Amino acid sequence: MTKKTADGAARKRGARRRLIGLAATTALTAGTLAALVPTAAEAGTAGPSGTAAPSGSSARQHAFTAAAAKYHVPVGVLLAVGYQESAWDAHAGRMSTSGGYGPMHLTDVTPAMLAAGPAGAVGRGDLAALAKDPALHTLRAAAKLTGLSPAELRNDPSANIAGGAALLASYQQAVSGSRSSDPGQWYGAVARYSGSSQKRSATAFADRVFATLRSGAARVTQDGQRVSLTADGDVRGAKTQLGKLALTGVAATATETECPTEVSCTFLPAASSNGQVSNRPANGIRIDTIVIHDTESSYESAIATFQKAGGSSAHYVMRASDGAVTQMVPTKDIAFHAGNYSTNLHSIGIEHEGYAAHGGTWYTEAQYEATASLVRYLADRFGIPLDREHIVGHDNVAGPSSSLVSGMHWDPGTSWDWEHLMSLLGAPVDGEHGVGPVGSAVTIAPGFTGNQQTVQICPGDDPTGATTACTEQQQSSNFVFLRTGPSDTAPLFGDQAVHKGAAGTDRINDWGSTAQAGQQFVVAGVDGDWTAIWYSGSMVWFHNPGGANTVPAHDVTLVSAAGTTPVAVYGSSYPDRAEYPAGLSPSTQAPISYYTVPAGQAYVATRPPANTDDYFTSGAVVVGAKQMYTIQYNHRVALVYSSDVTATDGTATNG
């Protein structure tokens, strides 16, 4: 692979790595992002209202004014809703990172999007049912109201704004029976526009819109459009209209949160379409993993994003400045956060305000301390072991299918200090450094502050806009680089799904050539200052003078192929088709085509084998007879059927 091709592929992976943070664009100053080519409407052709839209930077402002007039929506209300949905950005016909199209965030989510998105629902038989939520199809509703085609609503910002105005007007008609010129009388319509059926989320969205009405706003969009909203400090929303909406919810009390007493915690529900109501673990669905994420946006933007239908969610979002937490999904319910349904099914997700490309400066001591308190609390409640095999990063989650492995997220990134967090949890990644004999297991433990690694950071890795060109940067890191031979000049190992036979790179999002603090692998060889491990079906090497970067691992289970045939590796854990009762659509899975466990290699099983299982929103739980081990396969975990492998006690090997 050429350098240009590798960079292009990496940029593509970076663009797909997370579905969060559209509203973060409001924090960017004009000129930090490259201008996009104007659409026909912005170039001066007739807009959907039949009036000639002016060319240049005022086209979008005119589109809001024209759409408001046509559908009898107060222009300030329409502008304020658009500001909260997209900061008035158009995204040139692309679905935004939070699941919608255009300035008005009109949603049009397909089963394929749910398969590849944060739900990670590839192979699920109920994909079509998951995609039926009306909140995921406001673009289609807008098409019926306006007579405009779905393509126009996706691709033409002026048409999109008209569609949003038509939706607002229809909601207002349903709430009050008229289209008042008083902005305050549109509170109920705005709350419904949120797409949430939950009172607190709908109210929070409407309150943000009306706060924008009172304060005013102005910005230059990513494609150079100048849009402004004049402040109306006296406007107040008619909150009594909420009673006319079919909203669910409970009183806003501190008892709703599931947090330790020492953590400042409030509850604000995510959009219901961004997860599933369940009853874990009382319904037999175990909770055995905690996934650490970062938001790639501000704290406030992440919360707003999770409240939008069609995107992702997490159980908790943590602020950088003080470690304050907003819980957004009850722990009994399933959040769509990890990009793998099997992982979502059995995990709790914690998002951290920050940016993976700048982790060393964004991740604060307040976050680490609050995270440790929250993780200890959750681990105690659900019996989750406090180790790196159960407390994982989003970058450690398995890809659920062959086609999705390369696009899996890489947060919280190379500068999340795993060793510090594990020490705060009372489960430090330490001990006497060294390397046991070939066939024994080791824990990666390179330290953090003194472990200075050089990585390349490119603009696609940094949504803040601060990185304007690809730059090599040395920083404290949580990993060691892996090479194809015992030499600094040997090529970096390239993950099969990412590089397809080519060497790896030092790009910060290229997780395939790294082993991370706390991960455990089996020693495959020793050559002077270099240690080899079995990794991703290969023998790879890392610099380890005197065992400085490893600690011998004890009390581990090692698995290897039961025969001479390579063992298939999976990314999900569903029962066999025949094990689903009548009336339930079976989920399916296939081996990850890039990966196997060859005969003669061994990998650390991160937990005892567990039965395959599945869950449906009807409340049905399906448990299969077969069991699967989760193994530390490469930078990510993977699954193998217990019947395909032989398990041995790693303690005896280590002596």
Side-chain angles (χ1 to χ4, degrees), residues 106-196:
L106 300 179
T107 58
D108 194 19
V109 177
T110 66
M113 293 173 186
L114 288 176
V122 61
R124 291 192 58 80
D126 62 350
L127 261 177
L130 290 174
K132 283 183 177 179
D133 189 329
L136 303 181
H137 302 287
T138 59
L139 187 142
R140 301 284 169 170
K144 292 180 180 179
L145 289 168
T146 61
L148 297 167
S149 70
E152 288 176 288
L153 292 167
R154 291 188 197 99
N155 299 310
D156 186 331
S158 295
N160 186 275
I161 292 165
L167 276 178
L168 265 177
S170 71
Y171 298 158
Q172 174 68 9
Q173 194 73 31
V175 168
S176 67
S178 64
R179 302 183 189 183
S180 173
S181 61
D182 177 5
Q185 294 301 310
W186 287 71
Y187 188 89
V190 170
R192 183 173 173 187
Y193 197 96
S194 71
S196 178

Side-chain angles (χ1 to χ4, degrees), residues 49-78:
S49 63
T51 59
S55 61
S57 62
S58 63
R60 198 155 305 151
Q61 184 86 45
H62 172 83
F64 276 103
T65 302
K70 180 172 182 178
Y71 293 100
H72 307 289
V73 182
V75 67
V77 171
L78 188 61

